[in-house]
Every structure is written in C-alpha cells, then in structure tokens.
Amino acid sequence: MVSRVLVVDDDPTVSEVVGRYLRRAGFLVDLVGDGPAALRAAAAAAPDLVVLDLMLPGMSGLEVCRRLRAHGDVPIVMLTALGDEADRVVGLETGADDYVTKPFSPRELALRVQSVLRRAGGSRPGASVPELEDGDLRVNPDAHLAFRNNTQLPLTVREFDLLVHFLRHPGRVFTRADLLEQVWGWTVGDQATVTVHVRRLREKIEVDPARPARIVTAWGVGYRYERTGH
C-alpha cells in the first residue's frame, strides 16, 4: 500500500524539491503552503505522515501540529531552521516524532520519512512479537498499541518506540546518546530530543510524573526502567 505524505512549507522551491524526492521514493505527495490549507488537506485525504515547517505564515507550524495531534496520531516530521533549538524542543513537546534542520538534504528527509513510517507500521506480518507487560501497563508491538489500566495511551511513534525499548531492557541504564542511537537510529543529533520524549512519556505512564517510578533518572548517566508489576 502506497503511503500518502502531506508536505507543509510556504517556500515553493523547498516544497517542490521535497515533493520530487518523496515521489521518487514511492510516496503519494500533497503539497500545501500554509496552516489552514494543511488542516483542510488532512481532513480531505488523511495523510500517513506530515512533513511540517515550523515557520509558516498566519498559523504557525506548532499550532498546526497541535491541531493535527488533537484529531489523531499521524506521524509528524518537523522542518526547523538550524540553531532554533527552543522551537525544536517545543515542537517535540507538542507531539512531533522527528525533525530535520534547514538547510537539509532532501535525500536525508526522504530517509527520515521512511524510517518514521516503518516504525509507525509496527512489525512485519509473520514476525509476531509477544506483548510486553508491567503491572497496569500493556504494550502490543505488533499492533503498535499501548494501554494503561486498559485505557489506550495516545503515544507518538517515537514515544512508543522509547517505551518498547525500555520495557525490553528493564534495569539497564541508557545514556541519552545510547537512546538516540538505539531508538532514533541517529549516531549524531540533539540529545534534548531524548529528554523531551522521556518527559512526555513519563506524563503518560507514571502515576506521578514529578516522581517517576518507572523511568527513573540515573543521575549523571541517563535513564533506567524499573518494573513496578510482578
């Protein structure tokens, strides 16, 4: 099945180049230049992934991200200006799954899109993976679903990947660099990405996110998952 990608960028040159590379990679691509048009396009033909520039006229990319997140869990890859770390962190907190900084390689962006979509799709048919459980927490990697107290958790693609990784390695300490490489697949990148996703994940799986019992901080090192169930 061919995946549909919605590209939202007000620079027609960027949109055209990105669209061309994504089509070459085998995607159906819709191009729009502002936030309202993006929301209309998403409502008319639900995308499998959105490539979203943060700097948009009228309605900001962050607001578009919030509104898309309010209506579903479509994966979002942000485009941000080089050095705009604060905006990037806010975008990740809003629910984006990945980011690429401008100027960027269209080929790199296409690879990022493929990676996020592959993770969002879960495991391949025939490669069934056992469910992961910890007390009131239950995760089905095949279906890409997570539940706490039998209520489905609204996790982004990267939050889900991070949770699965922790559940598969309880008691082990991971540095932010470890997680960036093993969960995101990046050998270089902004480690603040990991910090933001851990904070967001804690808000969804911890009884008291301010005093996490599951994803605990190993001070000066990184994070460790502690099982709470039996």
Side-chain angles (χ1 to χ4, degrees):
M1 182 177 174
V2 178
S3 296
R4 179 181 293 274
V5 178
L6 174 62
V7 177
V8 189
D9 197 304
D10 63 324
D11 185 328
T13 301
V14 172
S15 287
E16 184 54 40
V17 171
V18 168
R20 184 163 64 247
Y21 269 80
L22 291 175
R23 290 186 181 104
R24 284 180 185 171
F27 298 110
L28 290 173
V29 180
D30 297 316
L31 305 176
V32 297
D34 58 52
L39 297 177
R40 290 195 298 270
D48 297 295
L49 181 142
V50 178
V51 175
L52 178 63
D53 186 14
L54 283 189
M55 299 297 291
L56 293 172
M59 181 186 296
S60 73
L62 290 176
E63 181 60 25
V64 175
C65 186
R66 289 189 188 97
R67 296 195 186 193
L68 289 172
R69 275 279 166 263
H71 292 91
D73 57 358
V74 59
I76 297 172
V77 176
M78 297 186 309
L79 301 180
T80 69
L82 186 63
D84 285 352
E85 181 178 342
D87 286 343
R88 191 157 60 244
V89 169
V90 172
L92 292 169
E93 290 178 335
T94 303
D97 297 284
D98 208 341
Y99 70 87
V100 176
T101 55
K102 293 182 177 181
F104 59 85
S105 157
R107 182 175 178 275
E108 177 196 358
L109 176 59
L111 290 173
R112 289 283 182 89
V113 167
Q114 290 172 328
S115 173
V116 173
L117 281 171
R118 184 167 58 249
R119 291 173 182 272
S123 303
R124 295 180 178 178
S128 181
V129 178
E131 282 197 349
L132 302 167
E133 295 188 12
D134 176 30
D136 61 2
L137 191 62
R138 178 169 55 88
V139 178
N140 185 324
D142 279 337
H144 214 269
L145 296 172
F147 300 87
R148 181 165 171 251
N149 289 323
N150 295 318
T151 299
Q152 185 174 339
L153 297 173
L155 301 181
T156 67
V157 174
R158 295 298 188 190
E159 290 166 1
F160 185 89
D161 291 345
L162 189 59
L163 177 58
V164 168
H165 189 76
F166 276 133
L167 283 170
R168 285 176 173 164
H169 303 93
R172 178 176 168 184
V173 175
F174 293 97
T175 67
R176 290 170 179 80
D178 290 336
L179 294 171
L180 203 61
E181 180 175 358
Q182 295 171 28
V183 178
W184 276 258
W186 305 351
T187 53
V188 295
D190 184 357
Q191 293 184 15
T193 299
V194 176
T195 306
V196 171
H197 279 79
V198 167
R199 181 164 64 245
R200 285 178 55 85
L201 187 54
R202 280 171 168 167
E203 291 171 355
K204 297 175 181 179
I205 70 169
E206 300 282 4
V207 174
D208 182 359
R211 296 180 175 83
R214 282 182 158 129
I215 304 176
V216 300
T217 299
W219 294 106
V221 184
Y223 303 102
R224 179 180 68 252
Y225 189 91
E226 294 288 354
R227 292 183 58 85
T228 61
H230 300 287

